[in-house]
Amino acid sequence: MKILEYEAKKVLGESGITIPEGVLIRTPDELTAHLPSLPDNVVLKAQVDVGGRGKAGGVLMADKTNAVETAKDLFSRMIKNTPVKEVLVEERLDIIHEYYLSIAIDRSTRQVLILFADAGGVEIEKVAKEDPAAIRRASLPLIMHDVPAFMVRDLLGNAPKELGPVINRLYHVFVKKDALLAEINPLVTTPRGVIAADAKLIIDDNSLKRQGITVNRDLSDREREAERFGFSYVELEGTIGVIGNGAGLTMSTLDLIEYYGGRAANFLDVGGGAEQERVMNAVRLVSSVPSVKAIVVNLLGGITRCDEVAKGIISAGISQPVIVRLAGTNEEEGRKLLSDKGYQMPDTMEQVVKVAVEMTR
Ligand code: GDP
Ligand code: MN
């Protein structure tokens, strides 16, 4: 999950990295009360989760006399289709130079990858493309407590030594917060020392609980609902809804759909021992995806009882056709319930998928 700039800065601040003085506001009026304690020159930053925010008009300079007006302007903007609900108002830094620092997981080497560049700021993507050698790299295994001094030296090159401790502090944040990415761009030198002018932090979704984060804001309403029900759920782009039990069976259903030329709308594993209500919730959830034209239910009755599954499907009462493959415990009872209601139940998994693909063509 991505953390917004002001939250990320708070984390950096706690780790000993200097961050700008600032306040978070939710309306332009809130700024009025803060004005006396703010310096003459400020920068207003939309707290939106989009890349290239500055270039898209999400970072505005102001002084005390026009700060409230500027805040009104910023709150009225859409930054890359995202409305501005919170604005971070900070002291405007007297920047000597902008550097780039990021720490991420490199999946190919299974190590932590630290990147540093002398040319930080809003053009870093261009630098990466046109002059990749300008971005220095260092890798280390996650078991290291600190970034070794020789690595810090290599990363910094001729950049001021005072930037060194920030690399280590950001590394500590990265480890402690179970981050997938920790980035400071720009990390700036000022007459007052080194300051993190921007901050980005992505927490591994698998660690949210451990990190005390109860709501994953990056999830859609539907994905959040799926999480609440305890389903493994991933939204895809196709038209055929998929419900299975067990990741393997559900994945092979997706594969078959692709094989026969269809496109799956989702992956949903209801898990073992699915009762009527659980199946009903799954069917309704998948049915609520606007692109879904038909749903394939592929459930194997082990602990799961097929008659419970059938009742769940029927009680969901959805408008799209549901094509069902049921096998295992109480299969006869389940099939009878469904056939009485006119559901299609081809004999094999292949046939079930073929019917769904035909329907959605
Ligand atoms: P981003 O576009 O979302 O990465 O937003 P940043 O917070 O990185 O700001 C974009 C650019 O605005 C920075 O690279 C700086 O050049 C400039 N900027 C941001 N804060 C300040 C500041 O306090 N003082 C000055 N002079 N420039 C700033
Ligand atoms: Mn930035």
Side-chain angles (χ1 to χ4, degrees), residues 5 9 43 45 50-55 59 61 90-95 98 120-122 185-186 197-198:
E5 177 191 7
K9 276 182 166 161
V43 43
K45 310 176 86 178
V50 302
R53 170 187 57 166
K55 280 188 165 177
V59 177
M61 306 290 163
E90 288 184 333
E91 61 172 317
R92 197 188 314 163
L93 302 169
D94 190 1
I95 297 177
E98 303 192 5
V122 294
N185 183 37
D198 191 11

Side-chain angles (χ1 to χ4, degrees), residues 123 166 193 244 266:
E123 299 294 348
V166 180
N266 73 286

